Amino acid sequence: MLKKLLAYVGEYKKVSLLSPLFIAVEVMMEILIPFLMASIIDDGLNKGNMGHIYFIGLITLIIAMISLSTGFAAGRCAAKASAGFAKNIRKAVFYKIQKFSFTNIDKFSTAGLITRFTTDIANIQNSYQMILRLLVRAPLMLIFATMMTIYINPELSVIFLGAIVILGIVMAVVIFSVHPIFLKAMKKYDKINSDLQENINAVRVVKAYVRENYEINKFKNSTDGLRNTLLKAEKIIIFVAPAMQFCMYSCIILLSWFGAKKIVAGNLTTGQLMSLFSYTANILMSLLMFAMVIVTITFSRASGERIVEVLNEEPSIKNTENPVFEIKDGSISFENVNFSYSNNPEVLNLENINLHINQGETIGIIGGTGSAKSALVQLIPRLYDVLEGEVKIGGKNVKNYDIKTLRDNVAMVLQKNVLFSGTIKENLMWGNKNATEEEMIHACKLAQADEFIQKFPDKYDTYIEQGGSNVSGGQKQRLCIARALLKNPKILILDDSTSAVDTKTDKLIREAFKNEIPDITKIIIAQRISSVKDADKIIVLDDGKVTGIGIHEELIISNDIYKEVHNSQEEGGKNNE
């Protein structure tokens, strides 16, 4: 894990090395100050030598200024290195997520990926900065201060060694105890993000059903769970401070007792005893700093493991060694295809699918909820891969094509229509970043979107709010269809993408497709029979199996499922009248 993460220090290696060097100078300067103060007391004040006091005082002031400036430089370097380190990890995680298939994303969950991208990386950044500063400062201070105590009086230095051993044991117990608790805490963060994301996305439903109190209680339970987990860790961590204070006061008492005896015996000076008190504070504070850093690193270790888990994840869908960069035509074949979202052959979502679709054909797909209509079409642009069998486009297995080439030639309007913050024009350019205004208008006319766009004051420069909240469901669907058409694909897939459009507009869209883009293979998933009745072929799916293929007139006679759907919609239409 550590080796994987440190690879992202990258161009910040220089400042990462400079920070410990500055810290080392700062610590050495600080260590000299108590020693010089002892000289001022013993050789200056006790002997009445004012010249010595002024001289050593000036040297002490210079050393203090050097310590201050190097400390400032170390802090600046550490801040720059940690921020850059986090930036590189954040970029790496984001690029990795962009390569993930739906299967990979389903494995981690959206909320889990967001937590890793925010909280976990922030923890790593804080830890790296503490490592560069405190984890270097604390051991150096401990070593140099201990060396000075041994130099001043080897016998009294044994007191510090005992304190170091006691605190070391306490810290080891704390570290091994809190790590599994911190792992649980990060999962609690995932749960909070999931609840928050779900609540914001479904805020209209929450208000419509007056479920605010329920959502508040659910969120409270999630935050209480995180609080309780962190409190459990804190109950262990709090033992560090009392242990440190016990050692500090014990050292002071023992130094005062034995030091006073040595002064009386003439084996120790007053200045040396004062410097030992200063070194006591330095040693024990360095141990406390070391404990704080170790606890933080332990917390960040859980975050690091979660980040590396994402970085090590191999995309389940990737290019072959020698991918094909050209698609001959928009013909599609399914040959003995089995598919499972869970990759479990015992739980198939699609079973034994055999289909052939010619270029330019319009194909309708009808089926009940859970019949795997979306699963079928998502195999065409390789949003998922088949478990068994082959999906072919232009006579070649989709796995042999370059993924970008494949998806550039397959335009898909998903069930959940998504518009991004920005103007209508910027949203349309997702389909073709080089599209001219004339091409955008033409695509919008085909999708029956131009009419309502022209009614907006800013027309194609109208700003779309996040998620398309300032346009209706039908308008959103038509804009998404226009965006797909701008790709000029060989295959166009509409996954229930006209459900919010009235039947008249739906008919106009289908007529425009028939007259204006006859060479594009069109696959239309719909709930309404009227949306697919004029298709060249209609595929009926039930529980992941094809139960019928034919034109409207054939299926209404030969297929019970199709007939049932048709009759129920006909009856519903008459009742509405």
Side-chain angles (χ1 to χ4, degrees):
M1 178 193 76
L2 192 60
K3 184 178 179 182
K4 182 80 174 181
L5 289 175
L6 288 177
Y8 295 101
V9 174
E11 66 273 28
Y12 299 97
K13 287 178 183 175
K14 183 179 178 180
V15 284
S16 294
L17 293 172
L18 281 175
S19 180
L21 289 176
F22 285 129
I23 288 290
V25 175
E26 180 191 17
V27 169
M28 285 189 286
M29 295 300 104
E30 281 189 36
I31 289 297
L32 288 174
I33 291 174
F35 187 75
L36 293 172
M37 292 301 293
S39 178
I40 289 174
I41 294 170
D42 293 336
D43 300 326
L45 291 174
N46 289 345
K47 296 180 180 180
N49 188 346
M50 294 304 297
H52 183 81
I53 293 172
Y54 291 141
F55 178 71
I56 299 299
L58 180 61
I59 293 175
T60 303
L61 180 62
I62 293 170
I63 287 174
M65 293 302 294
I66 294 172
S67 177
L68 179 66
S69 58
T70 51
F72 174 79
R76 185 172 180 178
C77 288
K80 186 175 180 180
S82 60
F85 179 47
K87 179 202 73 174
N88 288 345
I89 294 176
R90 198 170 282 114
K91 281 173 60 178
V93 171
F94 185 78
Y95 292 165
K96 191 73 172 186
I97 292 171
Q98 298 308 302
K99 295 178 182 178
F100 280 177
S101 67
F102 284 5
T103 303
N104 296 118
I105 292 172
D106 291 343
K107 175 182 175 181
F108 289 102
S109 82
T110 304
L113 289 172
I114 291 171
T115 306
R116 285 167 168 83
F117 200 76
T118 51
T119 306
D120 287 326
I121 292 178
N123 289 340
I124 294 294
Q125 179 179 347
N126 292 335
S127 289
Y128 190 63
Q129 185 169 6
M130 291 183 77
I131 287 168
L132 292 180
R133 298 194 66 190
L134 299 184
L135 196 60
V136 174
R137 179 186 175 84
L140 286 177
M141 180 67 77
L142 179 65
I143 293 167
F144 290 151
T146 304
M147 288 172 61
M148 291 303 292
T149 61
I150 294 171
Y151 174 77
I152 293 170
N153 195 292
E155 293 176 358
L156 293 178
S157 65
V158 175
I159 296 171
F160 303 114
L161 295 176
I164 292 169
V165 171
I166 293 170
L167 279 178
I169 293 171
V170 171
M171 285 189 294
V173 172
V174 167
I175 291 163
F176 286 109
S177 300
V178 298
H179 176 63
I181 300 174
F182 285 146
L183 279 174
K184 290 180 183 177
M186 298 317 300
K187 291 179 181 178
K188 299 287 185 183
Y189 276 116
D190 287 349
K191 181 68 168 62
I192 289 173
N193 276 340
S194 178
D195 289 348
L196 182 61
Q197 182 186 20
E198 186 178 60
N199 181 268
I200 292 172
N201 288 338
V203 65
R204 289 171 176 80
V205 178
V206 172
K207 291 186 178 298
Y209 283 86
V210 197
R211 296 283 282 179
E212 290 92 343
N213 288 337
Y214 172 81
E215 289 294 316
I216 289 168
N217 288 332
K218 186 170 78 170
F219 190 76
K220 182 178 180 296
N221 290 335
S222 296
T223 53
D224 284 348
L226 176 61
R227 181 201 63 190
N228 293 336
T229 303
L230 292 177
L231 279 175
K232 188 176 178 181
E234 287 295 331
K235 287 176 182 177
I236 299 172
I237 294 169
I238 56 173
F239 283 105
V240 173
M244 192 278 292
Q245 289 180 336
F246 170 77
C247 290
M248 176 177 283
Y249 293 131
S250 297
C251 287
I252 291 172
I253 292 169
L254 291 172
L255 275 177
S256 300
W257 177 262
F258 293 108
K261 286 187 174 184
K262 285 186 174 289
I263 289 173
V264 172
N267 298 325
L268 190 73
T269 66
T270 305
Q272 287 175 331
L273 182 59
M274 293 300 295
S275 66
L276 284 174
F277 282 133
S278 296
Y279 290 131
T280 300
N282 287 338
I283 289 170
L284 295 175
M285 284 304 297
S286 66
L287 283 171
L288 181 60
M289 282 191 293
F290 188 74
M292 289 171 55
V293 175
I294 294 300
V295 169
T296 304
I297 291 173
T298 304
F299 190 29
S300 300
R301 179 184 160 194
S303 295
E305 288 169 356
R306 286 158 52 85
I307 292 168
V308 169
E309 189 181 6
V310 174
L311 294 172
N312 286 339
E313 178 75 8
E314 285 298 319
S316 62
I317 295 175
K318 51 188 176 183
N319 279 337
T320 56
E321 284 189 19
N322 299 300
V324 178
F325 289 91
E326 186 178 350
I327 296 177
K328 184 177 69 174
D329 58 50
S331 62
I332 306 167
S333 294
F334 287 77
E335 298 178 2
N336 304 313
V337 168
N338 288 335
F339 168 72
S340 170
Y341 282 115
S342 60
N343 285 324
N344 184 355
E346 301 297 322
V347 185
L348 293 177
N349 298 97
L350 288 168
E351 185 177 350
N352 195 31
I353 305 296
N354 286 281
L355 297 170
H356 181 74
I357 300 168
N358 296 316
Q359 179 182 348
E361 281 190 321
T362 298
I363 304 298
I365 300 179
I366 285 283
T369 302
S371 59
K373 302 185 295 295
S374 296
L376 181 74
V377 296
Q378 286 175 356
L379 298 177
I380 297 170
R382 285 193 76 193
L383 297 181
Y384 290 96
D385 267 341
V386 299
L387 190 64
E388 294 175 338
E390 289 185 321
V391 178
K392 294 181 177 179
I393 294 179
K396 288 186 172 64
N397 192 320
V398 291
K399 293 181 180 179
N400 295 332
Y401 288 114
D402 169 66
I403 293 174
K404 184 179 184 302
T405 301
L406 175 65
R407 292 176 182 170
D408 277 342
N409 282 274
V410 180
M412 189 168 184
V413 184
L414 299 168
Q415 269 183 322
K416 293 181 180 179
N417 299 285
V418 176
L419 293 175
F420 298 89
S421 302
T423 64
I424 290 176
K425 189 179 293 183
E426 288 169 344
N427 270 276
L428 292 172
M429 289 176 77
W430 273 68
N432 180 359
K433 63 181 179 181
N434 299 314
T436 63
E437 190 166 343
E438 290 75 19
E439 289 171 332
M440 290 185 204
I441 292 172
H442 178 66
C444 287
K445 283 181 177 178
L446 291 180
Q448 306 303 309
D450 181 67
E451 183 181 353
F452 73 78
I453 293 173
Q454 296 295 343
K455 293 178 182 178
F456 291 142
D458 296 324
K459 296 182 171 55
Y460 283 81
D461 290 317
T462 299
Y463 189 82
I464 299 294
E465 301 292 341
Q466 185 178 13
S469 59
N470 60 331
V471 291
S472 70
Q475 290 172 336
K476 189 190 298 185
Q477 286 186 334
R478 283 177 276 175
L479 286 171
C480 289
I481 292 170
R483 182 174 64 189
L485 289 170
L486 274 173
K487 290 181 72 173
N488 191 26
K490 285 186 168 60
I491 298 168
L492 175 64
I493 301 170
L494 303 182
D495 187 356
D496 204 15
S497 304
T498 57
S499 57
V501 174
D502 61 85
T503 52
K504 180 184 176 183
T505 304
D506 186 18
K507 184 179 179 182
L508 290 172
I509 292 172
R510 286 184 282 111
E511 287 178 353
F513 285 178
K514 183 177 180 180
N515 298 326
E516 298 288 338
I517 52 173
D519 295 331
I520 294 177
T521 304
K522 298 165 283 292
I523 300 176
I524 302 171
I525 295 176
Q527 300 295 335
R528 294 188 299 227
I529 293 287
S530 59
S531 298
V532 299
K533 67 183 297 184
D534 296 326
D536 298 313
K537 285 181 201 166
I538 300 170
I539 299 167
V540 183
L541 284 176
D542 182 46
D543 196 25
K545 300 184 182 79
V546 175
T547 63
I549 301 176
I551 60 174
H552 173 72
E553 290 76 14
E554 294 171 347
L555 291 172
I556 206 167
I557 297 170
S558 62
N559 190 276
D560 291 337
I561 294 174
Y562 188 84
K563 184 179 179 180
E564 183 182 343
V565 173
H566 176 268
N567 291 341
S568 65
Q569 291 184 6
E570 284 286 313
E571 186 179 338
K574 289 177 183 177
N575 291 336
N576 289 335
E577 291 176 4

